[in-house]
């Protein structure tokens, strides 16, 4: 039996510059951190008395005899990619709901590949694990996904991640001492909007505009915020980091009309009026989670203003995808 544990992520700046149509022309960059909310994947050889070859347990229970019968696209294509031919049983557990902007879909693919590589005694680097997950999702499944979620989940920690035009992935850790890291964590509040959505439904307009080049100026500004945000944190200008989040949210909404809505704008305005310095909707947009930068003196006011929404406490994760049992 093998169990993998792979962290979800919060992306602060650079989202949108990690999509292939932009990366391979201009290069992309993001600033993100993994958090202590995980996807756990357990896999083992199928019971020899089982009447089926594959069992997959998630929100559904699948029992199949061939790869082509498997409905879960990532499970099916990861098994095919790694070359698993013997019977196997897979169980999936999530700390937080999928389709909420925390990169769960790609986190799952990274965690499953990590477990499958361990199962087959194959060792790969964190960067290669990310690249393989990207290949499975983009080429084998055909999903319209970027590159940042796989990289964050595989590498782990608080990083500036650069996506080169030639496909290389480079990460630069944000080396804050523990007291400054704790200060930053204590100033970030995470709230669930209550809305789950398929990222692809939100991204169609944005990807189309990226291909046309009509939002290149906006994407360039968003990419520039990565270095600025990284610099502000290394200089301990945390309040200005919070204000930059507000600028990022304004820029993000320019990428597509589907990113926000009247209800989401109202939620954001409530937080800002109660004392948040800035914030942004995570992932593709359209729902999921808001992260807000709020100084401790205003925590109570923001929580009161957003009392209808579920707050999720979190801490930073530093490890990336791990095998926690073998």
């Amino acid at each position: 039996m093998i169990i993998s544990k792979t962290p979800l992520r919060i992306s602060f700046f650079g989202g949108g510059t990690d999509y292939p149509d932009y990366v391979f022309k201009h290069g992309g960059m993001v600033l993100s951190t993994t958090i202590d909310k995980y996807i756990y994947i357990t896999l083992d050889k199928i019971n020899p008395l089982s009447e089926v070859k594959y069992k997959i347990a998630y929100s559904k229970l699948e029992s199949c005899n061939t790869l082509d019968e498997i409905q879960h696209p990532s499970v099916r294509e990861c098994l095919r990619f790694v070359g698993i031919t013997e019977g196997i049983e897979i169980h999936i557990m999530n700390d937080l709901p999928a389709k909420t902007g925390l990169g769960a879909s790609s986190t799952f693919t990274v965690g499953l590949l990590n477990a499958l590589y361990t199962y087959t005694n194959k060792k790969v680097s964190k960067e290669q694990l990310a690249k393989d997950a990207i290949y499975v999702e983009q080429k084998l499944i055909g999903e319209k996904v970027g590159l940042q979620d796989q990289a964050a989940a595989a590498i782990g920690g608080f990083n500036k991640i650069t996506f080169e035009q030639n496909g290389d992935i480079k990460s630069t850790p944000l080396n804050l001492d523990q007291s400054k890291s704790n200060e930053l964590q204590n100033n970030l509040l995470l709230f669930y909007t209550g809305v789950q959505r398929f990222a692809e439904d939100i991204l169609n307009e944005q990807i189309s505009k990226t291909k046309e080049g009509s939002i290149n100026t906006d994407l360039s500004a968003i990419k520039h915020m990565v270095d600025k945000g990284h610099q502000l944190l290394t200089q301990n200008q945390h309040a200005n980091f919070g204000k930059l989040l507000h600028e990022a949210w304004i820029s993000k909404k320019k990428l597509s009309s589907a990113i926000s809505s009247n209800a989401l704008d109202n939620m954001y305005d409530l937080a800002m009026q109660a004392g948040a310095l800035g914030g942004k909707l995570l992932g593709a947009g359209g729902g999921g989670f808001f992260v807000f930068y709020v100084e401790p003196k205003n925590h109570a006011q923001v929580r009161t203003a957003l009392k209808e929404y579920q707050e999720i406490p979190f801490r930073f994760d530093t490890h990336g995808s791990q095998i926690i049992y073998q």
Side-chain angles (χ1 to χ4, degrees):
M1 177 183 290
I2 292 165
I3 302 175
S4 70
K5 171 185 176 184
T6 309
L8 301 172
R9 65 97 187 97
I10 289 176
S11 178
F12 297 104
F13 305 109
T17 73
D18 63 311
Y19 286 95
D21 291 300
Y22 188 83
V23 168
F24 297 127
K25 291 181 180 178
H26 309 284
M29 192 184 302
V30 298
L31 184 67
S32 68
T33 184
T34 47
I35 61 174
D36 62 348
K37 300 294 178 279
Y38 305 96
I39 294 179
Y40 298 88
I41 299 172
T42 301
L43 63 86
D44 201 357
K45 291 181 180 179
I46 200 80
N47 186 311
L49 299 179
S50 174
E51 296 178 353
V52 296
K53 190 171 182 179
Y54 304 107
K55 287 185 178 179
I56 306 103
Y58 50 111
S59 56
K60 299 178 181 178
L61 180 60
E62 295 194 52
S63 298
C64 311
N65 280 308
T66 67
L67 286 179
D68 289 338
E69 292 179 81
I70 297 175
Q71 296 179 17
H72 195 299
S74 185
V75 172
R76 182 183 64 247
E77 300 306 330
C78 282
L79 290 174
R80 199 190 309 275
F81 180 72
V82 178
I84 299 294
T85 56
E86 61 187 82
I88 198 164
E89 187 167 354
I90 299 171
H91 292 256
I92 303 154
M93 294 166 286
N94 297 3
D95 278 346
L96 292 175
K99 303 189 289 291
T100 54
L102 297 174
S105 176
S106 296
T107 297
F108 171 80
T109 302
V110 168
L112 180 55
L113 284 176
N114 196 14
L116 291 171
Y117 284 150
T118 303
Y119 184 76
T120 57
N121 296 312
K122 180 178 180 180
K123 293 185 178 181
V124 299
S125 68
K126 292 184 175 184
E127 289 75 15
Q128 190 60 49
L129 179 60
K131 287 183 177 181
D132 289 348
I134 291 166
Y135 179 83
V136 168
E137 293 187 327
Q138 291 184 349
K139 303 300 183 182
L140 300 185
I141 303 175
E143 291 184 339
K144 296 177 181 178
V145 293
L147 315 181
Q148 67 160 314
D149 296 346
Q150 305 90 338
I155 297 167
F158 206 132
N159 299 293
K160 179 174 75 172
I161 305 175
T162 303
F163 306 101
E164 306 287 357
Q165 290 171 264
N166 64 3
D168 286 346
I169 298 172
K170 298 178 181 178
S171 62
T172 304
L174 178 72
N175 294 315
L176 294 180
D177 64 45
Q178 194 57 53
S179 64
K180 295 302 180 183
S181 177
N182 288 339
E183 177 187 336
L184 178 61
Q185 289 178 86
N186 293 337
N187 289 350
L188 295 171
L189 302 182
L190 188 66
F191 287 90
Y192 182 40
T193 65
V195 178
Q196 291 177 271
R197 79 291 176 273
F198 286 99
E200 190 165 319
D201 295 340
I202 306 299
L203 287 169
N204 286 332
E205 179 185 340
Q206 180 180 327
I207 290 174
S208 177
K209 288 182 176 179
T210 301
K211 288 180 179 179
E212 296 168 358
S214 61
I215 54 174
N216 279 356
T217 300
D218 298 310
L219 288 171
S220 179
I222 287 171
K223 186 167 67 172
H224 177 70
M225 290 180 188
V226 173
D227 280 328
K228 188 174 181 181
H230 188 273
Q231 183 180 38
L232 289 172
L233 290 179
T234 56
Q235 294 174 348
N236 297 321
Q237 297 185 46
H238 289 183
N240 286 332
F241 179 87
K243 294 173 183 177
L244 188 63
L245 278 176
H246 176 68
E247 292 182 36
W249 174 232
I250 299 303
S251 295
K252 181 184 178 82
K253 290 201 293 181
K254 295 178 182 178
L255 302 181
S256 168
S257 60
I259 284 174
S260 194
S261 65
N262 289 337
L264 294 171
D265 285 342
N266 181 62
M267 182 179 175
Y268 185 86
D269 290 344
L270 286 173
M272 294 294 286
Q273 291 164 10
L277 293 181
K280 66 186 288 284
L281 199 60
L282 300 176
F289 284 88
F290 264 116
V291 64
F292 294 103
Y293 185 97
V294 187
E295 294 176 330
K297 63 183 180 181
N298 293 322
H299 280 190
Q301 294 164 239
V302 170
R303 286 175 170 138
T304 298
L306 299 180
K307 62 182 182 295
E308 295 181 8
Y309 302 94
Q310 178 70 47
E311 181 185 359
I312 304 296
F314 71 93
R315 307 301 288 175
F316 296 155
D317 165 272
T318 58
H319 297 293
S321 186
Q322 300 179 81
I323 301 300
I324 59 171
Y325 183 84
Q326 183 181 358

